Amino acid sequence: MSISDDPFDLGREPDESPSERPGVPVRADAPYLRALNDKQREAVEAMDGPVLVLAGAGTGKTRVLTTRLAHILATRRAWPGQILAVTFTNKAAREMRERIGALIGGVVEGMQWLGTFHSLGAKILRRHAELVGLKSNFTILDTDDQIRLIKQVMQAENIDEKRWPARVFAAILDRWKNRGWSPEKVPASEAEGFARGRGIEIYKLYQQRLKTLNAADFGDLLLENLRLFQDHPDVLADYQRRFVYMLVDEYQDTNVAQYLWLRLLAQGHKNICCVGDDDQSIYGWRGAEVDNILRFEKDFPGAKVIRLEQNYRSTPEILGVASGLISANAGRLGKTLWTEADKGEPVTVMGAWDSETEARLVGDEIEALQSKGRKLAEIAILVRASFQMREFEERFLTLGINYRVIGGPRFYERMEVRDALAYLRVIYQEDDDLAFERIFNKPKRGLGDKALLTLQTTARSQGTSLMGAARSLSATDELPAKARTVLAQLVQSFDRWRTAAASLNHVDLAEMVLDESGLTDMWQNDRSPDAPSRLENLKELVRSMEDFETLAGFLEHVSLVMEATEEAGDNDKVTLMTLHAAKGLEFPIVFLPGWEEGLFPSQRTMDENGIAGLEEERRLAYVGLTRAKEKAFILFVANRRTHGSWQSAIPSRFIDELPESMIERRMDEHSGFSTFGTGSRFDGQESFTSAYESPGWRRARAAGGFDPRRPVTIDENAELVATSDPRVASYAIGERVFHDKFGYGRVRRVDGNKLTVEFDTTGEKRVIDSFVKRA
DNA sequence: GTCCTAAATTTTTTT
DNA sequence: AATTTAGGAC
């Protein structure tokens, strides 16, 4: 086999040593290199040995990553199949694939090792599944399955679920796995807190159950890789040889398990390039260790560290405000972002009376921007927590502003979709008891807890799966005749579907299963108002399967990606999402609402992680600000509703940390603040500050000795709250009303301030009277 | 075994 | 406030 002239030739053995492919000198004026600045270029051309690129927000990180990949390929230092490129999210992986594709064309198809940690971990695990006690078609459990399984284990161990909830243990287990701890490695001190120190025991039993179910959870995708590499050095050596170059995106977000995985794999060629920004580390709650980035030079001796500090995204004002904010953090590697961009507008800080007003202000501002010719697609609203989205949605519906929510409730998590998927999972992998359990009486077949218990006992005594137990039980008389018949029918159906799966394509199979299982009928006969949309979702599920070659591929996608394929049509819409979801994106105009103590920074994070938690929140604020290219708005309110009751709030400490010279403070005149202050913001700087000194807030501070971390519920404000909520006269039964979200409807029942309304489109709902208007 | 009512829980962020 | 879960009645 001779080396082809085409540097992107795919027909190469991936195991060739790099020496067989001498690098081809690339002209210094190669177009893709010319487009880079000096630092970026240095990062692209530093090919040998470990490299750490500290890339500040907006400094062209993705461009460096993709160009570096293209450069490796163009200089023939490695074939596409010899490059491991790993990202944190599916979105990032997709984007990288697209951008490399744009740079080098179809060769990107050969990059079979570009993906998220989890998808690559799963890929490797499937290849060697038998070495860790799994079969290659193992199921990947999601959090829901995981909790159900933990619950079962704990039940069998007679652990009081009330006292020690399974979901709590799931979180602990997740943390352990993120740290790379197998049951033997969990320090005893860690396990003391849960179920009188029986945590490790539960962990072990849980892992045993996973093996019998032929399943792995998210953490296992990496942990089992580590075990595989440790127990089978030959397998590890193979991958070490294979991955000539390694690239890691968002390195600051890696957890210990991922770090160990990378370190093992990098020992071969040692050509590992990690790109990250310690100031954008926002996943500590999920096990990310900023330490990984801080100790890079220690772990990879001789590492070259390159800093990217020229920002191409934002105005000097936005950059200045963001830098000023983040400088309040202590543990940083330290970078100074600079820009050549022209002076822009200051960052606007706005206060509002309550969250409803906040949404109104943003809505008004958006309409103003629109009339200035800005597109809705240029605007994003980034919130700390998804519950904040509701009020914006309602406001936008009223104003007729188109919007899109990123990361809302996920398609594959809907009940009806999960049920359908469970059928497919059982067909594909018969030992998937969790899926079997989910649907063995869905639609209702007259099988219940008793039948399940018998199945489980039989399965355990025979050492088989529930399906196996069902099979043998249909031949004995342990179950009542009726249940036995029904069960036998179910087993028969699955046998039939499995046979069909061999010859039928997976889309037709899914249609057949939906039809014959009775799931479709079940929803067709359902009279509840959301039944039609559930049916529609099932259709959509079948449609989405068409994008995949095989059932296996589809199921893998569902468990690893969890998001439906994006809807077509790039309409002009405002984007509404969480700050976490916004990382890596940019928008000309960004709104950052909800900057109040307790919400942002989040009380819970501070309670759980103290100063470290606070610093992570601050980084989150930094991420939010640096998403903006031209203009950023920060908002806070004096009153926010949590769990139904109004709570007064004080502005986030982050607002005090913004450099005064680059911000503009603006009060909403109808917010109620203006009545406290000496005047509106428009005649001077100090009036705003005096709003902080308003009687309400002064009392708020006095009340709790001013603990800024804990918003105080102030009774003195009660009457003010009441005035913001004008009493609406009660409605009469039969009256026509209008609701922002549900549209027109007719009042059916009145319960104090709660109305039962039959909405024309969405059916009967219970709503609060102040949420509807007379039609 | 199914259906209804009462109570508990939720609001962080996600592979 | 709204949704999910548990328990009890039928």
Side-chain angles (χ1 to χ4, degrees), chain A residues 436 440 446-458 466 469-488 491:
Chain A
F436 182 85
F440 86 111
L447 297 170
D449 291 347
K450 229 157 67 196
L452 179 61
L453 201 66
T454 319
L455 275 169
Q456 282 169 334
T457 338
T458 315
L466 290 181
R471 220 169 247 132
S472 59
L473 277 176
S474 49
T476 67
D477 55 0
E478 277 177 72
L479 281 172
K482 209 164 142 197
R484 195 172 56 201
T485 328
V486 173
L487 201 58
V491 172

Side-chain angles (χ1 to χ4, degrees), chain A residues 661-673:
Chain A
S661 62
M662 282 175 248
I663 64 175
E664 158 205 53
R665 297 180 186 265
R666 205 193 289 173
M667 296 309 297
D668 172 42
E669 285 173 280
H670 309 289
S671 71
F673 283 124

Side-chain angles (χ1 to χ4, degrees), chain A residues 502-726:
Chain A
S503 54
L504 223 54
N505 84 53
H506 58 292
V507 181
D508 296 335
L509 175 74
E511 267 168 1
M512 178 175 167
V513 171
L514 282 180
D515 194 34
E516 295 182 5
S517 67
L519 273 187
T520 311
D521 289 342
M522 177 175 100
W523 289 114
Q524 255 158 9
N525 298 329
D526 195 309
R527 283 284 140 252
S528 65
D530 47 350
S533 83
R534 292 182 193 273
L535 265 176
E536 196 48 50
N537 286 336
L538 289 180
K539 276 190 202 145
E540 176 57 35
L541 177 72
V542 175
R543 221 173 299 142
S544 72
M545 290 178 74
E546 289 169 5
D547 298 338
F548 298 86
E549 304 264 313
T550 60
L551 179 60
F554 174 71
L555 290 176
E556 185 89 342
H557 171 85
V558 170
S559 39
L560 288 176
V561 179
M562 295 298 285
E563 61 192 34
T565 38
E566 277 177 54
E567 53 187 288
D570 45 347
N571 300 334
D572 189 28
K573 290 174 175 173
V574 172
T575 307
L576 195 51
M577 62 178 141
T578 64
L579 286 160
H580 283 87
K583 194 165 73 153
L585 304 178
E586 58 178 32
F587 299 89
I589 299 145
V590 168
F591 289 89
L592 301 163
W595 283 41
E596 297 123 40
E597 283 297 306
L599 175 61
F600 193 33
S602 142
Q603 190 57 50
R604 190 166 152 188
T605 304
M606 291 189 293
D607 286 345
E608 286 171 7
N609 300 308
I611 297 290
L614 173 65
E615 294 208 339
E616 178 155 318
E617 293 286 305
R618 195 177 279 115
R619 290 194 290 268
L620 199 49
Y622 174 80
V623 167
L625 274 165
T626 51
R627 296 313 93 196
K629 293 161 90 167
E630 297 170 31
K631 178 76 189 172
F633 295 87
I634 292 170
L635 294 103
F636 63 93
V637 304
N639 296 283
R640 191 171 288 279
R641 194 168 34 188
T642 28
H643 301 146
S645 67
W646 287 97
Q647 286 228 291
S648 70
I650 56 174
S652 169
R653 70 188 73 187
F654 296 157
I655 290 178
D656 296 331
E657 295 169 1
L658 307 176
E660 202 65 39
S661 62
M662 282 175 248
I663 64 175
E664 158 205 53
R665 297 180 186 265
R666 205 193 289 173
M667 296 309 297
D668 172 42
E669 285 173 280
H670 309 289
S671 71
F673 283 124
S674 51
T675 60
F676 291 124
T678 50
S680 91
R681 122 89 204 147
F682 304 99
D683 53 41
Q685 281 293 5
E686 88 294 340
S687 62
F688 184 94
T689 350
S690 65
Y692 284 102
E693 296 307 321
S694 67
W697 285 353
R698 209 175 303 144
R699 270 196 302 274
R701 282 174 228 190
F706 189 52
D707 176 7
R709 294 172 311 154
R710 202 168 287 284
V712 187
T713 318
I714 315 161
D715 288 319
E716 295 97 301
N717 263 354
E719 77 184 278
L720 295 172
V721 174
T723 54
S724 76
D725 175 25

